[in-house]
Structure formats: C-alpha cells, structure tokens
Amino acid sequence: MTSKIIGTGSYVPVQVVTNDDLAKIVDTNDEWITGRTGIRERRVVMEEGTSHMAVEAARRALDNAGVKPEELDLILLGTASPDHCFPSGACEVQGALEAVNACAFDISAACSGFLFALNTMQAFIQAGIYRTGLVIGADCLSKLVDWKDRGTCVLFGDGAGAAVVRAEDKGMTHTVMRSDGAKWQVLSCISRTNGNFLNHQTPEPGYISMDGQEVFKFAVKKVPECIQQVILESNLSMDDIKYFVLHQANYRIIESVAKRLKQPMDKFPMNMDHYGNTSAASVPILLDEMNRTGRLKTGDRIVLSGFGGGLTWGATLLEW
Ligand code: UT7
C-alpha cells in the first residue's frame, strides 16, 4: 500500500508586485532581478495570513479530489511563517474546514516544507496508520523579509498549495529527506523575542537573512543527488521521468540541475516569473497549475524536489 495524490488546489493573494514596483523602494531594477532569478512579479498579501491562504488552497484541493473534510485523518501544513507560535496553522485549517476526524500539525522545513509534509504523510499511510490526508505548503514571507534589503526582498512571494492524498496501490514510490543543521545560519529568520523578567531583553525584529551564493551552491549539488537517489532506488532511469517539479527559487538553479541530470529543460516546468519564490508553497502551486491545465496524465512518473533553510532538501518519486 502506498499513497496517491488525488486532488490539488492553490491560492495566491490578488495583489501583484512587479520588479518595477520594487525598484521604487530599494536600489534594484527589473533587468537584475529577471536576469539573476527569472522572477518578474510576485503576489503579496494585504490582509490575509498564512492560515487563510492554506485554508483556501485546501478547500480547492478537497473540491478537486471530491473528498469531504470529515473524511480526512491527518492534516499536515509545511510552513516557515505560521501566523502564531501556537496553535499550529494546521489546527487552524482543521477548524476552518471542520475536519472533525483529523489530527493536525505543522512541519517546519522552510522551503522544503511541502516535500517533508508529503513524505511524512506517505510514511503514515504506508504504515497503515491513516488512509486519507491533506498536505499543504503555505508561506507568507512578505511578513518576514526586510523590505530595505534588496538581497532578499526581491526574491519571495506569498501563496499556498495543497494536495489530498489517499491510500492506493499506486502513487508515491520513493522518498528522500535530508538536513544539515551545521549550516542553519546560511538561511534563517531569528524569531522576535521579548526576553523574560530576568534578562530584560528588548524585542528585536526578526528578518530573513541569507547567504545567497551558499544556498545556490548547496541547491545545485544536493538537488541532483537526491533526485538521482530516488530514481536509482526505484530501478528506473532519468528518461522514465516525465517532469521534474522543483522548488521555484531561481531559474538558474533549475537550469543547473537539468544540466547535471543531463535532462532537457522542457521537463522542468517553471512559474517563478509570476509568483517569485513562495517557499513551501512553490511545489504544490506548480503541481496544481499542471494538474488543472491537463499537463499531468494518469501513469506519468514525476519527481518533486524541494530545498531550503535548515538546510533541508528532499525528493519524491510518484506515479500520477
Ligand atoms: O528557497 C531557497 C531560498 N534561496 C535561494 O534559493 C537563493 C539562492 N541564491 C540565489 O538565487 C542568488 O545567489 C541570488 C539571486 C540571491 C543572488 O544572485 P548572485 O548572482 O549570487 O548575486 P550576488 O549575491 O553575488 O550579488 C551580485 C551583485 C552584488 O553587487 P557587487 O558586490 O557585485 O557590486 C550585490 O550587491 O548584485 C548586487 N545585488 C543586487 N543588485 C540589484 C544584490 N541584490 C541585488 C538586487 N538588485 N536586488
């Protein structure tokens, strides 16, 4: 028994922020951002938060799957930007959906959040513990970036994507999840602290800080490695894979991965030009676009792969 994605959904805020808009607030320009990243515009929240986006994506995924909220056994939300320290965003989603029979919790793996949540769901289903699950990747990094730091504020966008997963004979076959905590400082967001009555600390703003080149080098090495691992373990070859659906951080990272895997670029769908890097949401948003536009056919073998803060990275091989 394995688990299969039977429905997808996504949500992005309506507000579009273009590269030209950002050039008005930091010293940057469209040519630099597009040329270095492939990003032309992104969506940014006005009022809504991570949970709101997650709920909307989840409703669309349930509708697409034809599954009722009360059928859900487990809800996993991959996010690095929950609206509250606690309760988990997943519990908020459960409440909004009235998924009364589910257990819900968050998974913190930054941009790998959806992949880690999906692989965790697969483990629960494969073990026979649960049958029907909802996996969400949602992030609202616009609330965590320093809008004066041109090195990071041009990269990210807000959004959410979701997948309904069910126990079936065919579906996810191989998974890899890895992390390297020794490099946690390469990409981090130190949370705001009020201190306590003994140490008299004053609250500090916590912004995303990133060594972009280190993340780039890590991604182009580790992503091909974990993709090769799931393919090797499945006794398939690269040519058996229809699409590689990678975290949408930078088109140059994806080009480099394609080159290392010796695979054509048309196997690597991309949408970061419209949404920027939506962190844990990027893989499920892209998957939902592909599903709804009919690009995914029953029996297609696809590999999903995410990477990000932690450092974390992983891959999942599945049959659609
Ligand atoms: O989800 C995972 C999250 N992160 C990533 O995936 C990030 C991976 N890394 C990257 O995508 C790239 O490293 C970046 C896009 C972040 C940066 O590209 P780069 O080619 O590594 O540029 P750089 O950091 O080496 O900076 C080159 C120059 C610098 O100026 P000098 O020192 O050469 O004069 C920067 O100050 O570009 C400057 N720069 C900018 N210029 C215009 C940095 N940000 C900007 C900007 N606009 N927004």
Side-chain angles (χ1 to χ4, degrees):
M1 183 59 64
T2 185
S3 59
K4 189 177 175 70
I5 294 177
I6 58 166
T8 60
S10 60
Y11 173 89
V12 289
V14 290
Q15 186 66 44
V16 176
V17 175
T18 66
N19 291 346
D20 287 339
D21 292 331
L22 293 178
K24 292 176 193 150
I25 61 165
V26 285
D27 180 14
T28 191
N29 55 72
D30 177 54
E31 196 189 347
W32 192 96
I33 303 171
T34 309
R36 302 260 177 164
T37 68
I39 299 165
R40 293 179 188 279
E41 59 188 34
R42 69 287 294 142
R43 303 296 183 91
V44 173
V45 295
M46 298 289 282
E47 300 296 331
E48 65 265 61
T50 300
S51 297
H52 174 89
M53 296 192 292
V55 169
E56 290 305 314
R59 285 196 209 284
R60 292 170 194 187
L62 287 168
D63 191 48
N64 186 245
V67 166
K68 294 189 183 69
E70 56 269 28
E71 291 176 60
L72 295 174
D73 302 314
L74 179 62
I75 299 172
L76 297 180
L77 169 61
T79 186
S81 50
D83 296 331
H84 317 294
C85 291
F86 62 86
S88 67
C91 280
E92 285 187 74
V93 172
Q94 177 186 17
L97 296 178
E98 298 182 50
V100 291
N101 297 310
C103 164
F105 59 95
D106 286 359
I107 291 202
S108 175
C111 300
S112 311
F114 177 79
L115 243 293
F116 276 36
L118 186 67
N119 289 356
T120 304
M121 182 67 75
Q122 155 74 353
F124 275 111
I125 290 179
Q126 204 169 30
I129 297 168
Y130 297 121
R131 276 191 60 76
T132 308
L134 173 64
V135 183
I136 311 165
D139 266 311
C140 191
L141 296 193
S142 68
K143 291 181 179 172
L144 298 178
V145 292
D146 178 355
W147 287 98
K148 296 190 193 76
D149 174 16
R150 67 177 183 172
T152 51
C153 77
V154 302
L155 304 175
F156 299 104
D158 300 329
V164 178
V165 174
R166 185 168 261 170
E168 295 219 358
D169 293 334
K170 285 185 170 177
M172 292 171 61
T173 57
H174 291 81
T175 61
V176 176
M177 286 192 284
R178 297 293 306 278
S179 60
D180 180 2
K183 301 220 173 79
W184 71 268
Q185 283 163 316
V186 169
L187 176 51
S188 67
C189 181
I190 313 290
S191 58
R192 295 160 174 82
T193 170
N194 288 326
N196 61 35
F197 83 104
L198 287 175
N199 60 29
H200 304 293
Q201 284 179 356
T202 46
E204 288 174 24
Y207 294 125
I208 290 174
S209 108
M210 179 177 74
D211 181 338
Q213 291 192 357
E214 275 302 310
V215 177
F216 197 103
K217 280 189 273 178
F218 141 74
V220 299
K221 182 167 188 292
K222 295 298 185 186
V223 172
E225 276 178 17
C226 67
I227 291 176
Q228 277 160 338
Q229 188 180 336
V230 287
I231 290 175
L232 196 72
E233 286 172 0
S234 62
N235 290 321
L236 294 171
S237 82
M238 288 289 161
D239 297 337
D240 295 315
I241 307 302
K242 181 98 177 269
Y243 295 114
F244 299 87
V245 181
L246 307 192
H247 171 46
Q248 301 288 293
N250 185 320
Y251 85 95
R252 291 189 295 137
I253 292 177
I254 295 181
E255 271 184 358
S256 174
V257 171
K259 211 167 164 186
R260 284 178 192 227
L261 296 176
K262 298 188 177 61
Q263 290 295 294
M265 278 308 290
D266 59 7
K267 285 185 165 189
F268 293 78
M270 289 192 264
N271 66 2
M272 82 280 284
D273 52 336
H274 289 308
Y275 303 125
N277 175 348
T278 55
S279 187
S282 83
V283 168
I285 289 176
L286 182 55
L287 201 60
D288 184 45
E289 269 185 12
M290 296 172 72
N291 184 22
R292 283 170 197 267
T293 52
R295 285 179 81 181
L296 298 171
K297 309 276 183 251
T298 305
D300 283 350
R301 290 197 181 95
I302 61 174
V303 172
L304 314 180
S305 181
F307 60 90
L311 295 168
T312 54
W313 65 101
T316 305
L317 173 61
L318 57 88
E319 192 175 314
W320 194 253

